[in-house]
Amino acid sequence: MRELLGDEQDELFQRFMDSVHDYAIFLLTPEGIVASWNVGAQRIKGYRAEEIIGRHFSVFYPQEALDRQLPAHGLRTAVQQGQWRDEGWRLRKDGSRFWAHVLISPLLGPNGEVLGFSKVTRDMTEKRESEQRLVQSERNLRLLVETVQDYAIFSLDCHGVITSWNRGAQRIKGYTAQEAIGKHFSVFYEPPDVARGWPQEELAHAAEQGRFEDEGWRLRKDGTRFWANVVITAIKDEHGQLLGFSKVTRDLTERRRHEEQLREREESLRLLVEGVRDHAMFLLDAQGRIKAWNEGGQRLLGYDSSQVLEQDVSMFYPEEDRLAGKPKAELSSAQSAGHLLVEGWRQRADGTRFWAEVTTTRLDGDGATPRGFIRIVRDLTERRRAETLEMEGRRLSEFIAVLSHELRNPLAPIRNAVAILDRFTNDEPQARWCLDLLGRQIGHMTRLVDDLLDVSRITSGKLRLEPVALELNTLVRMAVESAGAMVRQRGHSLSVQLAPVPIQIMGDTTRLTQVVANLLANAAKYTPAPGCVDVSVRQDGEVATMQVSDNGMGMSESLLQRAFKPFVQGVRALDRSEGGLGVGLALVKNIVELHGGSVSAGSAGLGKGTTITVTLPVQKQAAAEASATAQTVVPSPRRVLVVDDHRDAAESLALLLRMSGHDVEVAQDGPMALRTAAAFRPNVVLLDIGLPGMDGYELARRIRELPKLGGVRLIAVTGHGQQADRQAAAAAGLHSFITKPVEPEELARLLSPV
């Protein structure tokens, strides 16, 4: 960031130069062409900047100086000796002459090459005339000098001994005239400067060049230091014989203090910028060329300063953006607005891309054209990757929700049809076998849909538990009774070993039953018949442990490491006609961890069986043991309105309800449902949510507004099962929410009078 500070210093210096009216200060090219122009130069020489920049500086010399080739001599001497001083007549724009003091200094590059010259010209006409008048009226001038308070003005003989002393010298240096006159002027210099002969060297320079100017530390009478600007002028007679020196000293301590403070602030700023490693910060000129580069830029973009300085900023853009003109367009926008914040791909030195936040700020110049731009680049690749993953997760969740809805719709009439056939089929073994098969397959499909939705809820953090006090032995026994039939149907033996004492836990009954069912289903599917499946429960201190073991296919070491990730399955044999989606163990893991427990898998290898171990925290204060006895609900006849645009689902559900003794009407859309409800006056309305024209939520609100239907019971029967759907149903005033396909027992319970 040293370049940036240098530019800032240049700006401050330029402003300082423009405030100097008594000196013409400007730059020359190596050939002597004027390259810059300050206010003092315009005042002294009469040219405006646009009139003189680009012309040769010899335009300021009278013909006699040009005949002597004085301009070229001055440049050569400055290069040979480090600077060239001269006094003589010069020309203004209007042709008038003035006596000028000229200082030309070469500007050298890092390898010593001449980059140009600085030229300082002072109008010495009045001073020259004053010096002439001084010879004629020395007494008056001495009185005038004596009155000056802000400058120490005194004279020296040829050897440096003080011969006169003004009031300003007494005020600045502390010596009276009697104390100072007769002393050597080296008394004002610090001992190291005296030791190296600097006072005598100043006099030698002044004697040789006519004038010498310097800044440095000087001493007062009391030993304190002050920062002095010193001008020593050689006094010569008309024959050039040295008579002595005049010496003008100005106290610039306060100015130096401010300059030091400015340098300290600039250094602090430089260190601050250099210390920023997470942001690339660099300076551009008005054309987009890189002028300064920080360490963060090297870390982020892979280039060091030597590789990027003076290069176009487009080097960081991908090729397609360069071809499209994006680098220039962004600079143009920043120039117009003053500030521009964009995001896009940028390219590192090794060719890799990263997603960047780029801030471009205009640096205003003196005119309409900006001095340049400050650009700050931040790597947002990780944030963009996270946002992309989040967006993909949302899309996946939406896809699963749509998929589950589309799968539930055909399952609903099939489930209803199976329930209807079950009423008629009693003694036919083949028909009973077919019904059992259909029931199992519908149950299997329903579990797959539920598993997909549960995985989606877990990954999006939307799965919620409803914990209550539970007794683990009882929960496992009831879950095994529910899922054990599936294990035995596959030809496996099932053994259960419960803990000898009750184990009290807090948990969600439905979700923990789902854990046991998924583990039994996995064991049954991955164990060739006839196999053995064992379930055990025990308490180890404050931890309850449940294990499900089988003697089936087992797991390899690599599969053990991935078994609890979604959609991971073992090798499926060709003779296995039934499998799953590979989400069962992932659901088990997430549900158990939501309960504060853990789950692990163990296997001695392929063909040697698998053991899944689940641990859950035990409640320290045991809850009162509660027992629940399942009772078959026999509902009383009700007037039921079924609303569903899926004709098979609506008619099959209506037939099933009529067989249970209910009075049923069917409607396929909202307007038809409103007309039917007004005439039929149902006790219960079973309505689908995804209806054409008017959705189920709006229909529910409209039904409640019908005369004498304010107390009707509204139940959503839908293929949409997300948490947001349940919340929307509750907000619309629906009493219950069930997903397709509907279990006959659950439907009977919902139709019972409240």
Side-chain angles (χ1 to χ4, degrees):
M1 203 59 196
R2 289 184 295 273
E3 296 287 344
L4 176 61
L5 294 177
D7 286 348
E8 292 179 346
Q9 289 177 335
D10 289 343
E11 180 182 10
L12 293 174
F13 184 73
Q14 183 62 43
R15 291 180 180 178
F16 172 70
M17 290 297 99
D18 285 342
S19 69
V20 176
H21 290 234
D22 295 335
Y23 291 82
I25 305 173
F26 51 97
L27 298 176
L28 304 176
T29 67
E31 296 77 21
I33 303 300
V34 178
S36 71
W37 198 246
N38 83 323
V39 174
Q42 180 175 336
R43 188 190 68 80
I44 293 173
K45 296 179 180 287
Y47 293 93
R48 297 192 306 274
E50 58 268 23
E51 294 176 322
I52 194 61
I53 292 176
R55 298 178 65 180
H56 198 274
F57 82 109
S58 59
V59 70
F60 309 133
Y61 288 74
Q63 187 60 46
E64 61 269 22
L66 296 177
D67 293 340
R68 293 187 291 118
Q69 298 184 344
L70 189 61
H73 170 73
L75 296 183
R76 286 196 304 272
T77 303
V79 173
Q80 294 169 357
Q81 300 181 5
Q83 63 179 5
W84 182 64
R85 293 182 182 273
D86 182 41
E87 285 193 11
W89 293 111
R90 298 293 185 269
L91 297 178
R92 296 187 175 91
K93 176 185 175 182
D94 61 5
S96 62
R97 294 191 176 199
F98 67 98
W99 187 263
H101 174 269
V102 177
L103 174 64
I104 299 179
S105 301
L107 303 176
L108 304 180
N111 298 319
E113 68 275 17
V114 178
L115 303 178
F117 299 90
S118 65
K119 189 170 188 291
V120 181
T121 302
R122 186 177 182 184
D123 185 355
M124 304 294 290
T125 307
E126 293 183 3
K127 181 176 181 296
R128 187 168 184 268
E129 293 173 354
S130 297
E131 290 174 351
Q132 292 175 346
R133 287 194 296 271
L134 178 63
V135 175
Q136 300 172 1
S137 55
E138 181 179 355
R139 180 177 177 276
N140 292 336
L141 181 60
R142 184 181 304 111
L143 293 175
L144 177 64
V145 170
E146 283 295 328
T147 63
V148 174
Q149 297 284 330
D150 294 332
Y151 291 83
I153 304 174
F154 52 97
S155 60
L156 308 174
D157 65 14
C158 296
H159 305 289
V161 176
I162 300 170
T163 58
S164 70
W165 193 252
N166 81 328
R167 295 177 186 175
Q170 180 173 337
R171 186 187 68 82
I172 293 173
K173 296 179 181 288
Y175 294 91
T176 64
Q178 293 80 4
E179 293 172 323
I181 293 175
K183 292 181 179 292
H184 194 273
F185 83 111
S186 61
V187 70
F188 310 131
Y189 290 73
E190 294 186 300
D193 292 334
V194 175
R196 65 188 179 94
W198 182 241
Q200 288 78 7
E201 191 171 340
E202 286 184 340
L203 296 182
H205 281 296
E208 180 182 354
Q209 300 176 12
R211 180 179 181 277
F212 179 77
E213 186 171 355
D214 183 35
E215 287 191 8
W217 291 110
R218 297 296 185 266
L219 295 177
R220 295 186 175 92
K221 176 184 176 182
D222 61 7
T224 59
R225 299 197 308 169
F226 68 99
W227 187 261
N229 172 266
V230 176
V231 178
I232 300 177
T233 304
I235 302 175
K236 299 180 181 180
D237 61 17
E238 62 272 17
H239 303 293
Q241 184 68 33
L242 182 66
L243 301 177
F245 303 91
S246 67
K247 192 168 187 292
V248 180
T249 301
R250 186 179 181 185
D251 184 355
L252 298 182
T253 307
E254 188 65 19
R255 189 195 75 179
R256 179 175 172 82
R257 185 178 67 82
H258 288 301
E259 290 174 348
E260 287 292 334
Q261 290 175 345
L262 177 61
R263 277 193 291 269
E264 289 176 2
R265 288 196 297 268
E266 291 173 346
E267 178 65 12
S268 298
L269 178 60
R270 184 189 68 80
L271 294 175
L272 175 64
V273 173
E274 286 296 329
V276 175
R277 299 181 56 84
D278 295 332
H279 294 67
M281 304 175 66
F282 47 97
L283 180 69
L284 307 176
D285 65 12
Q287 288 72 44
R289 292 186 296 265
I290 301 168
K291 293 297 184 179
W293 189 251
N294 81 326
E295 189 173 339
Q298 180 172 345
R299 188 194 66 80
L300 183 59
L301 292 161
Y303 297 92
D304 61 37
S305 59
S306 64
Q307 295 173 297
V308 299
L309 293 181
E310 300 302 328
Q311 300 298 315
D312 195 274
V313 72
S314 61
M315 67 186 294
F316 307 131
Y317 289 73
E319 183 178 2
E320 61 269 21
D321 287 349
R322 293 197 297 268
L323 295 176
K326 184 175 287 187
K328 293 296 183 185
E330 290 183 358
L331 288 182
S332 178
S333 297
Q335 180 174 343
S336 300
H339 181 81
L340 179 67
L341 175 64
V342 298
E343 290 187 12
W345 292 110
R346 294 297 184 267
Q347 191 164 289
R348 297 185 177 92
D350 60 6
T352 59
R353 296 187 178 191
F354 66 99
W355 188 258
E357 178 189 78
V358 182
T359 304
T360 306
T361 303
R362 182 186 66 210
L363 291 176
D364 293 328
D366 296 331
T369 302
R371 283 186 53 218
F373 304 90
I374 295 175
R375 178 159 286 185
I376 301 175
V377 181
R378 185 159 65 109
D379 186 354
L380 296 184
T381 307
E382 288 304 319
R383 192 193 75 179
R384 178 178 171 84
R385 182 180 294 114
E387 291 173 349
T388 301
L389 290 174
E390 182 179 352
M391 181 175 62
E392 291 300 325
R394 286 197 302 267
R395 289 177 179 172
L396 179 60
S397 296
E398 292 168 1
F399 169 74
I400 290 175
V402 172
L403 177 63
S404 66
H405 175 261
E406 295 303 316
L407 290 175
R408 289 183 193 276
N409 273 335
L411 283 174
I414 296 174
R415 168 71 79 185
N416 295 338
V418 170
I420 293 168
L421 290 173
D422 188 51
R423 304 290 179 93
F424 297 103
T425 305
N426 294 316
D427 301 326
E428 291 291 336
Q430 292 181 341
R432 172 55 58 189
W433 179 85
C434 290
L435 283 174
D436 290 343
L437 181 145
L438 286 172
R440 289 194 303 272
Q441 296 304 319
I442 292 171
H444 180 64
M445 285 293 295
T446 303
R447 284 195 301 273
L448 291 181
V449 173
D450 290 339
D451 284 353
L452 276 175
L453 286 174
D454 283 342
V455 169
S456 176
R457 293 188 188 108
I458 288 172
T459 55
S460 61
K462 296 180 179 179
L463 187 67
R464 297 291 182 265
L465 300 181
E466 297 180 5
V468 296
L470 297 174
E471 200 284 304
L472 185 58
N473 285 329
T474 303
L475 182 137
V476 171
R477 183 175 60 251
M478 294 177 65
V480 169
E481 289 174 357
S482 174
M486 178 267 296
V487 177
R488 297 186 182 92
Q489 285 168 2
R490 293 177 178 270
H492 305 312
S493 64
L494 176 60
S495 67
V496 180
Q497 182 179 355
L498 301 177
V501 295
I503 302 176
Q504 299 295 334
I505 63 172
M506 288 294 292
D508 186 309
T509 305
T510 301
R511 293 303 178 184
L512 290 179
T513 301
Q514 185 180 5
V515 167
V516 179
N518 280 0
L519 293 180
L520 289 175
N522 258 26
K525 284 189 293 184
Y526 289 98
T527 300
C532 299
V533 178
D534 301 320
V535 180
S536 65
V537 179
R538 69 179 186 273
Q539 180 174 347
D540 301 313
E542 297 181 356
V543 175
T545 302
M546 179 186 68
Q547 287 186 326
V548 177
S549 303
D550 63 67
N551 61 345
M553 297 173 60
M555 293 186 185
S556 65
E557 184 64 32
S558 62
L559 181 57
L560 284 172
Q561 297 174 3
R562 300 179 294 115
F564 295 100
K565 295 182 179 180
F567 309 111
V568 172
Q569 292 178 307
V571 178
R572 296 180 61 173
L574 294 176
D575 61 350
R576 287 187 63 231
S577 60
E578 187 176 3
L581 298 174
V583 299
L585 288 182
L587 283 173
V588 168
K589 179 177 185 295
N590 283 281
I591 291 172
V592 170
E593 289 180 349
L594 285 173
H595 282 81
S598 66
V599 61
S600 60
S603 177
L606 294 177
K608 298 181 179 180
T610 302
T611 297
I612 306 296
T613 302
V614 173
T615 65
L616 294 167
V618 173
Q619 286 297 100
K620 294 182 179 179
Q621 294 181 349
E625 184 174 353
S627 61
T629 303
Q631 298 179 352
T632 301
V633 178
V634 181
S636 59
R638 310 276 279 170
R639 290 194 309 279
V640 182
L641 173 59
V642 176
V643 186
D644 198 325
D645 62 325
H646 195 287
R647 185 174 297 275
D648 288 343
E651 294 296 343
S652 61
L653 181 57
L655 179 56
L656 180 60
L657 291 170
R658 291 187 184 110
M659 293 177 66
S660 298
H662 301 291
D663 188 5
V664 183
E665 292 289 341
V666 176
Q668 271 77 46
D669 55 36
M672 183 179 178
L674 289 173
R675 292 193 301 270
T676 304
F680 182 51
R681 293 183 182 177
N683 307 115
V684 179
V685 178
L686 303 175
L687 70 160
D688 191 14
I689 298 301
L691 296 172
M694 181 189 305
D695 64 28
Y697 305 132
E698 176 63 22
L699 178 58
R701 286 188 285 267
R702 298 278 290 274
I703 288 176
R704 285 195 177 281
E705 295 172 357
L706 292 174
K708 298 183 180 181
L709 287 179
V712 66
R713 186 169 180 78
L714 302 173
I715 300 174
V717 181
T718 177
H720 296 284
Q722 298 284 63
Q723 185 65 27
D725 301 318
R726 297 178 183 274
Q727 293 171 350
L734 279 86
H735 297 89
S736 301
F737 186 101
I738 54 176
T739 55
K740 299 176 181 179
V742 181
E743 294 289 344
E745 294 80 4
E746 183 179 11
L747 185 59
R749 179 181 62 81
L750 291 174
L751 291 177
S752 298
V754 179

